[in-house]
Every structure is written in C-alpha cells, then in structure tokens.
Amino acid sequence: MVTHPRRHAGTRKRVLNRVLLCATTLFVTSGLFVTSAMPAMALDKPHPVQKTDPDKSDDKPKMTGSAALLPADSVTHQTLTSGGKQLGYTAHAGTLTLRDDKGEPTARVFYVSYTLDGGQADKRPVSFFFNGGPGGGSAYLNLGAAGPTALTMPAGNPTDGANAKLGPNPDSWLAATDMVFIDAIGTGYSVPVKPDTADKMFYGTKADARAFAKAISLWIGANGRHASPHYLVGESYGGIRSIEVATALQQQQNMILNGIIMISPALEMKLLDAANNPLASAMLLPSLEASRLDMQHKLTPDAIEDSYRYAFGPYLTTLAAPLPASSDDARGFYAEVAARTGLDPAIVARERGTPDPQAHDVRSRNGRLFSLYDGTLSIADPFPEGIDNSDSPDPVLFGFGRAYGNAFEGYAAQTLGFHTELTYDLLDLKVNSAWDYRGEGEPVASEIPQLRKLLALNPTLRVFIANGYFDLVCPFASSRWVAEHIPVGRDRIDLHVYPGGHMLYTRPASRAALSRDVKAFLTP
C-alpha cells in the first residue's frame, strides 16, 4: 500500500507519504478482454494442531515486551480441492528470530507458509510475499490474492467491509508455488525486541531490505529449500521493497532469484510526485481517464492506447513548456484535460492541468467521494460542502480495507492455530511516518538503476508486473513507461493491466485473471 503525498506539504514529505496501501475481466496489454473462469476450490477443515518453538530452548535468551507475547509456532495439515483434485498442504504459522552481530535477538518476524505435501523441493517454486506501506502487513496478499482462504466483499457493495466473508479461495496460487507470507517488522505480528530503537534498526529502505533478506535466508535454511526456484512477490511499496530485497539477497545472502512479481508497484518514489514532476503527472492522467471511461462503459484497448499516447505526447509537452502563450490556448488545453478526466474544467484550470487526485474538490463529485486507490469506487461524501484534504477519508485506506486485519486475526487463531494477545497490526502509520527513504548517499533511494543491474547481472531473471487501470496511487502508466526504458532485459518483463484499483484482487474476476497469469509465469 502507498500513501498519497499532500500537495501543500514539503516536497520530500509529499513524496514519502504517498506510498501506503499498497479489481472484473482481464484486460492485458495485448488488448484482449478475457472472461474465462477458474475451477472451483474448497478448503477442508485442518487436522489437529502441532506446536513447536525453536526459540524457547534453555540456551535461548528470554524475550520481553510484545516479543514475549508471540506463541510457539503452529503447524496444521490441510487439504485444498482444486479442479477435482485433493491437494494436501502444510500450513506453518510462526516466527523467525533476527539477531545482531553479537547474537542478541533484535526482532521476531512473523510468517505463514503453505507448502504442498510431497512436492519435489528442488523443482517446486517457493514465493516470498510482502505488502507495502511502508507499514502494511502481509494479510492483504494472503487473504486477498494468493492464499488458500480469501476475504470477499459483498457483490452488491464492494465497500461494505462489515459484511466481508472468509471462504475458500478459488484463485489460490498454491497449485503453482509454495508460499511464505512475511510481515515487515512493526506490522502484523512481527515485532522488534527493542521498540525504542526500531526506527533506526528497521524502518528504512536499506535496513528493511537487509532484514527481509535475512528472514528469507533463515526460512530457506530451516526448510532445506536452497535448490528451489525462488521468487519475490510485493505489493505497492512492495515493488520498491522487492527490488531492494532482491539486491540484498544477491549481495548479502548469496542468493540469486528466478523472478519477481509486483502487484500495483511503486517502482520509484520520484515518479509519484505529480505535484512537482511533469512526468509523474503524465503517468497519472491515463488512470484518471480510464476511471472516467469505465464509469461511462467506454473502456476499450484503443481508448487506453490513445490516452497513453496523449499523456506522453501533447500533454507532457505542454506541461514541460512555458504556459500557453494565449488564454485561448490555455483554455483549450484545460478543456481537453477536463474532457478526458471527467473533472470540472474550473478545477482543472485552477490546478493548471495537473489535478491532484487527493484533493477533496477533485475526489468529491455529485455527493460521492471517490477513492485514490480506485478511481471508480466511491462512498457518500461525509463533507459534500468541502473539507481540508487531510480530513477527507479514503474508502479503501480507512474503510473496507481494514476488514483484512480482523479477518486475519480470526483466521490465524481458528484455522492456523496461532493464538496471541497481540492485535494484528494491519497498517501502522507510525512506522510509515518514521520511514527513512534514503539510499546510499541519496536523499531518496533510486530503484530503477538497481532493477537494471539485477536484470543485467542475472540473465534469466524474469519480472511480472500487474496493475489496476483505476489506481491513482501507483498508476499503470508508470510501470509501462519504466519497462519501455529498460535497456537490458525488457523482453523478460511481463506487463498486465486489469480492471480494478490498487487492490485489484478485491474484484473476483480480476483476482482470477491475475491468478491464471501468475501461474503461467511460474510455469513457463
């Protein structure tokens, strides 16, 4: 998940706060609409729970505070009925202990793994999942997209989190890969041993990547999966995290990946600052137009292609040049932008052709408040008369999206047998506000050069990127533009765009299409 920047805050704060949360029929970049359904699956009741706890032997140091409230690992054996076949698998909910250079524990990292029983370890892929934020737990991807159990919003009201239901996930990725869902430290059930120093130890782009790389290495070692094909799966800020973790794995853990899967990724923080970067504004425009087209039932491949070419042609050229020489030229430009986005021409003119999608007067239309995370999704506007932008709630970030936290607590306790007094920290805004985005000698870490190096150093690395058309936080055009400017390995980057927003998997048809495409990617 990615938080959107505040336009009137300082530039650095605007960019850094954008990345926080990080959708029906498939519409891929080839221009084809796909409506084929996935086979139904059913989840049987788990077998009795088995408990282990490798961190509580006599020679291990005692944990204190929240770290002491995490219970012993829980292992259950379950079955998934897929396409008429029974898939037996083992679910393991537990923690990994990170240590400093003196061997003292620094954090307990919570994970849930699903491994197919009887799988051939050297051939069976294993994928490591994380969400974004920074500050988001992995429950979004676990219960939203890929795990054997899914949380589904009511069909008639996708914003009704109170009536969301857990049930078998017909689109689980288990048939194609073993899965390990990892909560970033400070989120979910992952806790630092010393909270007072956690911001310096873990809450930063580079430190976070080192921690994830070590946790992944520990899991691989404990489960004997060194020879397996290895993949990373990251959502939203998890796009940046996946590039950083892939680099840390290669440089610090001597592990070279087979592939990276990114869902609604933030690929470069600099490309999210539409308030100050004309290129970022051009990347946003096709998502605004796609949202308008969809609500008017006019979304087509040709319309999207026209929008993309306008955005990176006449639109970007106009923004980069001096203001139009005559008022007629200016009015014509603003009218074109207003017609494409469906926004009030007066608002477009006031914002000089770069409408801020977080602004209340942009999001509020006809008594409805639209989401940054899905430009077609709205609720009744609680402040139709107008309100300061910071007090205008987002339907996804602060509404139905929160249902994943309570749902995961119940799932962990009742299905996985993992009982704790801790609250599952689905989205920690304190972690987000404390985040250090610096790179090595850079005020903000730059990811595209790292991605280029990864593709060049590893000639078989493949990258899968999935976006939602209506995502105004991490626009689909940013992924396409980045891929088009990769000099080495462009042919190993698969781009897919689906009807939906940032959490495109909340739309059942898009979740099914994503699952099908990922399975094809994992079994080339």
Side-chain angles (χ1 to χ4, degrees):
M1 181 178 291
V2 178
T3 47
H4 202 283
R6 298 296 180 191
R7 175 171 290 236
H8 303 295
T11 301
R12 184 172 183 273
K13 183 177 181 181
R14 252 196 324 267
V15 179
L16 305 190
N17 284 348
R18 181 166 179 175
V19 187
L20 234 181
L21 240 191
C22 305
T24 15
T25 348
L26 168 65
F27 177 33
V28 296
T29 51
S30 62
L32 298 177
F33 282 88
V34 183
T35 58
S36 58
M38 297 292 290
M41 298 182 182
L43 182 66
D44 296 336
K45 293 182 178 180
H47 292 201
V49 175
Q50 302 173 4
K51 302 269 188 175
T52 63
D53 190 355
D55 287 324
K56 288 192 175 180
S57 58
D58 292 339
D59 61 341
K60 303 289 185 181
K62 299 295 183 182
M63 297 291 180
T64 60
S66 296
L69 297 179
L70 289 166
D73 290 11
S74 176
V75 179
T76 58
H77 300 284
Q78 307 188 28
T79 57
L80 184 70
T81 302
S82 174
K85 296 181 180 180
Q86 292 281 321
L87 300 178
Y89 68 96
T90 299
H92 188 142
T95 61
L96 300 162
T97 300
L98 299 188
R99 301 177 183 278
D100 60 21
D101 55 7
K102 296 180 181 179
E104 296 297 320
T106 58
R108 296 186 71 183
V109 178
F110 176 75
Y111 71 91
V112 178
S113 67
Y114 306 104
T115 55
L116 189 69
D117 295 340
Q120 190 173 345
D122 62 337
K123 297 184 181 299
R124 173 83 172 159
V126 57
S127 300
F128 298 91
F129 292 71
F130 36 74
N131 273 84
S138 64
Y140 293 109
L141 285 175
N142 193 339
L143 297 183
T149 298
L151 183 69
T152 303
M153 306 299 157
N157 188 356
T159 66
D160 183 10
N163 289 298
K165 301 297 182 184
L166 276 176
N169 183 7
D171 310 307
S172 175
W173 300 6
L174 184 63
T177 181
D178 290 341
M179 299 177 285
V180 185
F181 295 85
I182 304 173
D183 287 339
I185 297 166
T187 77
Y189 286 144
S190 289
V191 296
V193 172
K194 297 179 180 179
D196 292 343
T197 60
D199 55 342
K200 297 179 180 179
M201 296 185 68
F202 302 115
Y203 303 160
T205 300
K206 298 299 182 180
D208 171 78
R210 289 192 294 269
F212 264 100
K214 184 58 181 178
I216 290 170
S217 178
L218 288 173
W219 188 91
I220 289 173
N223 292 273
R225 300 299 296 270
H226 299 85
S228 300
H230 301 125
Y231 292 83
L232 299 181
V233 184
E235 180 182 13
S236 194
Y237 176 83
I240 289 174
R241 177 175 277 151
S242 66
I243 296 171
E244 291 284 350
V245 173
T247 302
L249 282 169
Q250 189 161 307
Q251 295 181 354
Q252 299 159 22
Q253 304 300 328
N254 307 306
M255 189 176 109
I256 300 177
L257 294 171
N258 295 81
I260 300 173
I261 298 172
M262 305 180 189
I263 299 174
S264 305
L267 292 172
E268 183 80 62
M269 293 301 296
K270 304 177 187 71
L271 298 181
L272 300 181
D273 187 14
N276 296 288
N277 185 349
L279 183 58
S281 295
M283 292 173 175
L284 175 64
L285 188 70
S287 292
L288 287 167
E289 186 166 1
S291 300
R292 191 265 302 172
L293 289 168
D294 185 71
M295 289 187 288
Q296 295 178 347
H297 307 290
K298 297 179 179 179
L299 185 67
T300 65
D302 288 345
I304 289 298
E305 187 64 23
D306 174 75
S307 179
Y308 185 84
R309 295 189 178 281
Y310 171 78
F312 288 93
Y315 179 73
L316 181 57
T317 300
T318 303
L319 292 183
L323 290 175
S326 71
S327 58
D328 287 344
D329 290 339
R331 280 194 293 269
F333 172 64
Y334 298 148
E336 174 78 2
V337 174
R340 286 178 174 273
T341 62
L343 298 175
D344 185 334
I347 293 175
V348 173
R350 186 168 66 245
E351 304 216 0
R352 299 193 174 190
T354 59
D356 177 7
Q358 74 163 342
H360 184 267
D361 57 359
V362 172
R363 295 172 55 213
S364 180
R365 301 191 291 277
N366 300 318
R368 305 292 296 180
L369 185 66
F370 287 81
S371 174
L372 289 170
Y373 299 93
D374 186 330
T376 68
L377 194 67
S378 68
I379 59 172
D381 189 353
F383 304 105
E385 71 280 8
I387 193 69
D388 183 84
N389 291 339
S390 61
D391 292 326
S392 188
D394 188 88
V396 177
L397 191 64
F398 300 110
F400 74 86
R402 296 292 179 140
Y404 286 94
N406 178 68
F408 186 82
E409 282 194 17
Y411 171 70
Q414 297 162 25
T415 301
L416 302 178
F418 192 85
H419 300 269
T420 176
E421 297 176 24
L422 293 176
T423 297
Y424 186 83
D425 202 345
L426 179 70
L427 187 59
D428 194 312
L429 298 180
K430 291 182 179 179
V431 171
N432 181 263
S433 64
W435 204 257
D436 182 353
Y437 290 83
R438 289 178 297 177
E440 303 295 343
E442 302 172 293
V444 178
S446 186
E447 308 305 327
I448 305 307
Q450 289 193 69
L451 179 60
R452 290 169 66 160
K453 291 176 186 177
L454 287 168
L455 286 164
L457 290 169
N458 180 358
T460 61
L461 177 70
R462 296 180 302 122
V463 178
F464 178 105
I465 301 178
N467 284 95
Y469 274 111
F470 320 130
D471 183 0
L472 306 181
V473 179
C474 296
F476 71 89
S478 64
S479 296
R480 176 175 170 178
W481 185 89
V482 168
E484 288 175 344
H485 288 78
I486 294 289
V488 177
R490 169 63 187 91
D491 58 334
R492 289 179 273 131
I493 301 176
D494 290 349
L495 296 176
H496 299 263
V497 189
Y498 306 85
H502 197 65
M503 300 165 66
L504 60 95
Y505 46 77
T506 62
R507 301 193 181 197
S510 290
R511 183 180 68 194
L514 173 65
S515 175
R516 184 190 61 246
D517 292 339
V518 166
K519 289 174 182 177
F521 176 79
L522 291 170
T523 55

